[in-house]
Amino acid sequence: MKFFDCNVMIGEAVVPIPNAILDARTLLAEMDRLDIAQALFFHYAFTMDQKKDINRLTLEAARQSNRLVPTWVLSTAVTRMGEKLEDQVGRMLDSGVKAARILLDEGPSAGPLILKLYMLEDVYARMNQHRIPLLIPDEYLHAQPTLSSLIPQASYDDIETICRSFPDLPIVLLQPPYNSQQALLTLAQRHKNFYFSMPIYGLFRELENTARMIGADRMLFGSNMPVHDPSLGIGMILYAELNDRDKQLMAGGNLARLLESVQ
Amino acid sequence: MNRRDFLSQSALSALALAPIARAQAAQGEKSQNIFEQVRAGRGLEGVDVVDSHAHIENISGNLFWPLDADILMADSRRCGIGLTIVSPFAGFMATSGDQLKAAHDACVSAVGKYKNSLRAYLVFQPHFLKTSIAEMERAVEPNSPFVGFKLHGAIDQYPADGPNYQPLFEFANEHHLHVLYHVFGGVERVGLTAVKYPQMTLAMAHMAFWTGATAEEVIALLKEHPNLYVDTCSSTWPYRYLEKFVRAVGAEKILFATDCTYLAHGPQIAKVAFAQISEDEKRLIFGGNARRIFGNRLPA
């Protein structure tokens, strides 16, 4: 079973994460130990030019191994005179990056996360044009503040609107909890471009029964390492009552397909 | 004395590891270690696995939650879990004494069907005190299918040191029984209870997650109270959390648990199997500790 993790972070945070994975070499060692073939990752930074530095560090780290696949951390608020947020999509593609993710803006001057079309429509449109997957942590959709950011003003309603408005833009919800099943099933049934990661979505037979309802091609292995332990997602797929084809899709095939579809 | 010395010299631990050694011998020298078996997605072989926290329920929606003992036992067998201790969802959800009794009766039937691989906890409901007190006697009947008690403080909104739990703790203490408690109202109250009733063993479900306690606070309690344990089941799991606890308090204080048929088996097995701890420590967590705690209340 070839695992391709869609949700990994390296780097140190201001409030240290226990067992943080500080660099690419350490991440690769952990991937070797657990036999994870590839990881879609970003390198965290907390600086005055945060998103730019994150993307720079991510690209640097990705150069160390083709098993490390960079994720572009999307700017969701302008920080420069005359800046157009949608222009970053071109820079991302020019850098060879094929997936983007949302990360809360942090620090005292940062505004709350807003995913609504009036804020980001042009960015979504550009990503839709190139079929670039957009990864959004589920935890941002429940109005929970973090230590260094305001309460996000985003919800499942925004996910539904984005999916409906941009049908070629794959939306990947990261780490939804098991009791989100009604929203996840509905979104997946309504929108072919909606995906989500496990394993917190992990009630008994939840994975198997969800696959029966929406197919095995909508769920992705995402560990959220180093916050969460990757063993849960690996174990969930390995021991699922599914055929090997479906397990492989969830373990890495679905993510690989999404990245290969980027134009 | 370090932990390895303690293990090698402890008669209790030797007793706990005896069935494991037998199982290892039966497997021969070429058997894969626990990590390799689980990474291959195979059911565990040569490992004495006791799931100390699982659930059954006869009513099944058959969509997301097929919950009965048959499906639990089939899945446990597939994963290599030899013995499972369940409590009935219907016991937590009971709104009358009769419903609580009926939930326990269902456990008797289930264990009767799976004599060699299933045991049960009695649910003690603090809001049905009279029935709960009467029911707890079932734990000490000859050949009882009940090996201890499950208290769900979160559902009952009831803290460990609440007065209605005290008859149960006195009973468990008198009979050296095990109590599994989903913590409500703060872990410090669990510590007070462990001190007050030293002859019972008390496990905090889910590593005492979602109680507001830090890992360090839980670790401090585990160090302080010899009769206090944690179990491993949870829907989330901080990176390298098991390693942290094993280093801090020893594998002897940690019980393997799945929370099936609420949660899925695979993640719960993998979090122990893939942890960077020794093979002996994994075997203690998977089953050795439960064997030591429950003794001959469990089938061999």
Side-chain angles (χ1 to χ4, degrees):
Chain A
M1 194 69 57
K2 192 175 176 183
F3 282 86
F4 189 168
D5 192 337
C6 76
N7 187 15
V8 175
M9 185 190 91
I10 63 174
E12 185 61 283
V14 173
V15 178
I17 299 170
N19 303 301
I21 297 173
L22 299 181
D23 52 39
R25 193 179 62 173
T26 309
L27 173 58
L28 286 164
E30 184 66 341
M31 290 166 63
D32 286 341
R33 186 180 79 83
L34 294 166
D35 196 15
I36 297 172
Q38 289 180 284
L40 194 60
F41 81 105
F42 72 100
H43 190 305
Y44 182 81
F46 186 56
T47 64
M48 293 303 287
D49 206 355
Q50 187 184 27
K51 302 286 175 72
K52 185 180 177 189
D53 286 335
I54 285 174
N55 291 325
R56 177 179 54 78
L57 290 167
T58 300
L59 290 169
E60 282 178 16
R63 285 188 204 108
Q64 297 189 36
S65 169
N66 58 13
R67 296 170 62 197
L68 302 181
V69 181
T71 317
W72 188 268
V73 169
L74 211 60
S75 293
T76 50
V78 294
T79 56
R80 290 173 171 77
M81 304 285 275
E83 180 182 4
K84 290 182 178 177
L85 286 175
E86 60 271 26
D87 288 347
Q88 67 186 309
V89 177
R91 291 197 298 277
M92 172 178 26
L93 290 171
D94 289 345
S95 304
V97 181
K98 294 185 171 181
R101 66 177 290 149
I102 298 293
L103 183 72
L104 297 181
D105 286 326
E106 296 176 311
S109 63
L113 174 70
I114 299 173
L115 295 174
K116 299 203 180 302
L117 295 193
Y118 75 84
M119 293 285 283
L120 295 169
E121 185 171 17
D122 291 341
V123 177
Y124 298 144
R126 195 72 65 88
M127 292 181 70
N128 183 70
Q129 179 187 344
H130 295 283
R131 301 176 187 266
I132 299 167
L134 176 59
L135 290 74
I136 303 173
D138 182 272
E139 64 184 318
Y140 296 170
L141 308 179
H142 303 281
Q144 298 295 316
T146 72
L147 292 173
S148 52
S149 65
L150 296 177
I151 297 171
Q153 296 177 13
S155 71
Y156 282 108
D157 287 350
D158 298 320
I159 302 299
E160 203 280 331
T161 302
I162 298 167
C163 286
R164 178 162 35 82
S165 304
F166 301 99
D168 291 329
L169 168 56
I171 297 294
V172 181
L173 202 59
L174 298 174
Q175 300 279 101
Y178 55 72
N179 53 10
S180 303
Q181 57 191 233
Q182 188 61 44
L184 300 182
L185 284 170
T186 305
L187 284 165
Q189 287 169 334
R190 289 172 66 102
H191 302 295
K192 296 294 184 192
N193 54 333
F194 178 74
Y195 301 80
F196 59 93
S197 74
M198 80 274 292
I200 300 178
Y201 189 78
L203 293 175
F204 190 74
R205 292 283 190 273
E206 192 169 39
L207 191 68
E208 293 89 337
N209 290 331
T210 298
R212 286 170 61 188
M213 294 177 72
I214 63 170
D217 55 351
R218 305 297 196 89
M219 289 174 273
L220 281 63
F221 164 59
S223 69
N224 199 28
M225 194 161 47
V227 176
H228 291 119
D229 201 289
S231 59
L232 274 69
I234 297 172
M236 177 173 287
I237 293 171
L238 290 174
Y239 284 88
E241 285 266 62
L242 295 167
N243 62 44
D244 285 347
R245 176 191 166 278
D246 286 352
K247 288 184 186 181
Q248 185 56 68
L249 284 174
M250 294 178 188
N254 293 331
L255 177 57
R257 189 184 67 249
L258 287 176
L259 298 179
E260 286 162 8
S261 299
V262 175
Q263 298 173 347
Chain B
M1 180 185 292
N2 62 30
R3 191 164 62 247
R4 190 169 295 277
D5 293 337
F6 171 79
L7 280 176
S8 65
Q9 293 175 29
S10 164
L12 281 176
S13 292
L15 184 65
L17 287 167
I20 298 168
R22 286 197 297 274
Q24 282 176 313
Q27 282 298 304
E29 291 180 2
K30 289 185 178 177
S31 64
Q32 289 181 305
N33 66 31
I34 291 170
F35 182 102
E36 291 165 342
Q37 290 188 54
V38 174
R39 188 58 186 79
R42 300 214 324 264
L44 282 163
E45 293 180 357
V47 186
D48 185 24
V49 185
V50 179
D51 179 355
S52 68
H53 179 170
H55 303 285
I56 55 170
E57 174 57 71
N58 286 333
I59 299 168
S60 171
N62 199 28
L63 176 58
F64 284 100
W65 303 288
L67 306 169
D68 61 29
D70 292 339
I71 197 164
L72 173 65
M73 288 293 91
D75 218 54
S76 298
R77 207 164 39 243
R78 182 174 66 89
C79 296
I81 297 170
L83 186 67
T84 302
I85 309 173
V86 296
S87 52
F89 286 118
F92 308 131
M93 305 300 186
T95 52
S96 72
D98 287 345
Q99 288 178 358
L100 183 59
K101 283 185 194 175
H104 293 153
D105 291 343
C107 289
V108 174
S109 299
V111 175
K113 188 172 180 181
Y114 297 99
K115 289 185 178 68
N116 297 323
S117 53
L118 190 65
R119 289 295 182 272
Y121 294 114
L122 287 158
V123 172
F124 191 94
Q125 267 246 28
H127 306 303
F128 295 108
L129 192 55
K130 189 176 172 186
T131 303
S132 288
I133 288 174
E135 285 290 285
M136 67 188 187
E137 294 290 339
R138 298 173 80 165
V140 292
E141 291 171 355
N143 302 314
S144 174
F146 299 104
V147 299
F149 298 91
K150 171 70 189 283
L151 319 178
H152 207 303
I155 289 178
D156 293 323
Q157 299 282 288
Y158 209 80
D161 58 353
N164 286 7
Y165 276 156
Q166 303 316 303
L168 175 275
F169 291 141
E170 287 167 13
F171 185 85
N173 194 57
E174 179 188 348
H175 295 282
H176 296 243
L177 289 166
H178 184 69
V179 177
L180 171 58
Y181 177 54
H182 188 124
V183 177
F184 172 80
V187 293
E188 65 283 356
R189 293 169 152 189
V190 180
L192 295 172
T193 304
V195 170
K196 193 172 175 184
Y197 303 102
Q199 303 305 320
M200 72 173 186
T201 50
L202 179 59
M204 294 186 283
H206 315 297
M207 305 293 280
F209 287 161
W210 311 295
T211 62
T214 64
E216 286 68 28
E217 289 167 339
V218 176
I219 284 168
L221 278 177
L222 290 170
K223 283 181 174 175
E224 187 177 348
H225 305 296
N227 58 332
L228 190 60
Y229 297 80
V230 284
D231 80 25
T232 56
C233 57
S234 66
S235 59
T236 66
W237 193 250
Y239 187 46
R240 295 189 175 166
Y241 205 64
L242 192 57
E243 291 90 329
K244 179 186 181 91
F245 270 71
V246 168
R247 276 198 305 271
V249 301
E252 299 82 1
K253 302 285 276 185
I254 303 166
L255 293 163
F256 172 66
T258 67
D259 211 4
C260 297
T261 52
Y262 191 70
L263 300 176
H265 271 121
Q268 311 308 322
I269 294 168
K271 70 170 66 160
V272 180
F274 295 165
Q276 291 184 289
I277 57 178
S278 74
E279 193 81 350
D280 282 348
E281 288 166 334
K282 290 177 188 176
R283 288 175 184 274
L284 279 172
I285 294 168
F286 266 130
N289 294 330
R291 292 286 179 189
R292 189 181 68 242
I293 288 169
F294 292 100
N296 60 12
R297 288 182 174 276
L298 300 182

